[in-house]
Amino acid sequence: MKKKMLIPVLAGALIIIGVALFFVLRSGEDSYFNIRILYSEGNVSIKRDDTSFKASKDMKLRDKDYITVASDGFTRINCDRETYAHFEHDTEAVIKAASNKKLTINMVKGELVIDLQQKLADDEKLNVVTPNTTLAIRGTVVAVRTYPTE
């Protein structure tokens, strides 16, 4: 009788361990999952869907968020894995997170400094798109200034 009970118990334990391992391993593969604001001063707003709100520390950003930094503002975001984006005053940009390992910042106008303190893995991508240029960044500090197109 004990042997009959042992098989279902072991099968259940293996299923639970398998599910737990799946979630642990999956959480480590997402590189750009936690895009968040580290610091914000002055007038910085986020437009998400049809709603605009003031940016605040530790706010998580999402795909298609439109960032507007006024003339008195500045914000710094953490793109995960020791990657930082500094949005200077009079800057507008759209965050595009196609997947958790592919981040694109579409610059509309203004200045942006990207600071990668650790080289990206082969399957990770960070692109900055301006009206005239696309930069694929792997591991460095890059400053970009763009002007709105007429």
Side-chain angles (χ1 to χ4, degrees):
M1 181 106 183
K2 288 185 181 180
K3 288 183 181 180
K4 288 182 182 180
M5 296 279 294
L6 186 60
I7 292 174
V9 169
L10 286 175
L14 285 174
I15 290 171
I16 291 171
I17 290 170
V19 170
L21 279 173
F22 170 78
F23 285 109
V24 167
L25 294 174
R26 186 169 176 253
S27 67
E29 74 184 34
D30 295 336
S31 171
Y32 287 111
F33 188 71
N34 291 313
I35 303 168
R36 66 183 176 87
I37 295 177
L38 289 176
Y39 176 79
S40 189
E41 81 176 36
N43 190 7
V44 180
S45 65
I46 307 296
K47 183 176 181 186
R48 181 176 295 155
D49 301 320
D50 291 327
T51 306
S52 289
F53 42 87
K54 185 174 171 76
S56 62
K57 184 179 179 187
D58 293 327
M59 175 187 291
K60 289 194 177 187
L61 299 177
R62 297 182 188 161
D63 182 46
K64 300 177 187 165
D65 277 357
Y66 192 99
I67 300 171
T68 302
V69 181
S71 60
D72 67 338
F74 170 82
T75 193
R76 181 178 185 199
I77 67 171
N78 181 349
C79 304
D80 230 0
R81 291 186 44 88
E82 300 183 42
T83 301
Y84 304 96
H86 310 265
F87 294 86
E88 300 292 331
H89 63 282
D90 291 325
T91 297
E92 294 180 23
V94 179
I95 300 292
K96 298 279 188 178
S99 75
N100 290 337
K101 292 189 176 193
K102 295 180 176 106
L103 175 67
T104 299
I105 300 173
N106 286 329
M107 294 290 297
V108 176
K109 70 173 189 171
E111 296 178 49
L112 170 69
V113 177
I114 300 287
D115 180 5
L116 275 86
Q117 296 182 1
Q118 179 179 343
K119 185 180 177 204
L120 296 178
D122 290 340
D123 62 342
E124 296 174 322
K125 297 193 184 322
L126 173 58
N127 294 328
V128 176
V129 177
T130 72
N132 299 327
T133 306
T134 299
L135 303 168
I137 302 168
R138 301 295 306 150
T140 189
V141 176
V142 175
V144 177
R145 177 181 295 163
T146 188
Y147 302 96
T149 55
E150 298 299 323

